Amino acid sequence: GLSLVTGTTAMTAVIVLGTPLAYLLARRSFRGRAVVDTLVDLPMILPPAVAGITLLFVFGRRGLLGPALDVLGWQIVFTPIAVVLAQMFVAAPFYVKSAAAGFAELDRELEQAAMLDGANAWNVFRYVTAPLAWPALVGGAVMTWARAIGEFGATIIFAGNLPGRTQTMPLAIYLGLERDLDVAVALSLILVVASFAVLLCVKWLLRQQR
């Protein structure tokens, strides 16, 4: 349950925050664009342990935002919020890169035609851009969800392995290897079946869209 909640929350947050960024990278040229694009790619090549330490240095009590969070009375490290942040950090590039590629491949003449017919920028994106880029957006979202559900290294360092609080399925599998192999195997099978079912569903939706 914790894995499903945190993974879905991370995916939703990545979609909300990542869609404007993907559109910006696909459609706009601006100073520092290469730096932003590199920062988006960075979590994909960082070792998960380094990602966890990076999050600690930002959100930890002695991190960059630690004093401000203490003033507000917010505790992030070793909480479910930390799980979500770790999942977002490592999984966001899968959605942003896929969405950016989808936006870049669209025929802009269709968007221009909608504007000539009187549609504003939001309606063009809602009724033209997003539906045409739908396969790339859905594919990126699914990859993000799968990566978030399977996140291990950054989570165990930044959120810990607290049963019922921050222990996701990959962490429970790791603990099961030491204590009860049957539990580890059962949880692994659940993850395999769930991932396979989601991928089948998405492929069916994409066929229906085509």
Side-chain angles (χ1 to χ4, degrees), residues 75-130:
Q75 174 68 27
I76 292 181
V77 181
F78 304 125
T79 67
I81 297 176
V83 177
V84 173
L85 289 176
Q87 292 173 337
M88 289 177 60
F89 184 83
V90 300
F94 291 90
Y95 177 78
V96 175
K97 302 302 290 187
S98 178
F103 290 141
E105 292 175 358
L106 295 183
D107 185 354
R108 297 193 183 185
E109 291 184 358
L110 298 174
E111 297 172 321
Q112 294 168 357
M115 289 182 179
L116 290 176
D117 287 339
N120 57 33
W122 166 245
N123 283 332
V124 170
F125 180 83
R126 180 180 178 185
Y127 295 111
V128 179
T129 307

Side-chain angles (χ1 to χ4, degrees), residues 64-81:
L64 295 176
L65 301 180
L69 294 173
D70 282 339
V71 171
L72 296 173
W74 293 351
Q75 174 68 27
I76 292 181
V77 181
F78 304 125
T79 67
I81 297 176

Side-chain angles (χ1 to χ4, degrees), residues 19-83:
T19 301
L21 176 59
Y23 188 86
L24 182 67
L25 291 173
R27 296 298 184 84
R28 298 287 186 269
S29 295
F30 55 90
R31 183 176 299 177
R33 183 185 181 281
V35 175
V36 174
D37 193 39
T38 302
L39 289 174
V40 170
D41 291 334
L42 188 60
M44 299 181 70
I45 62 172
L46 275 180
V50 176
I53 293 174
T54 300
L55 291 170
L56 277 177
F57 272 106
V58 175
F59 296 102
R61 304 196 74 177
R62 297 183 180 180
L64 295 176
L65 301 180
L69 294 173
D70 282 339
V71 171
L72 296 173
W74 293 351
Q75 174 68 27
I76 292 181
V77 181
F78 304 125
T79 67
I81 297 176
V83 177

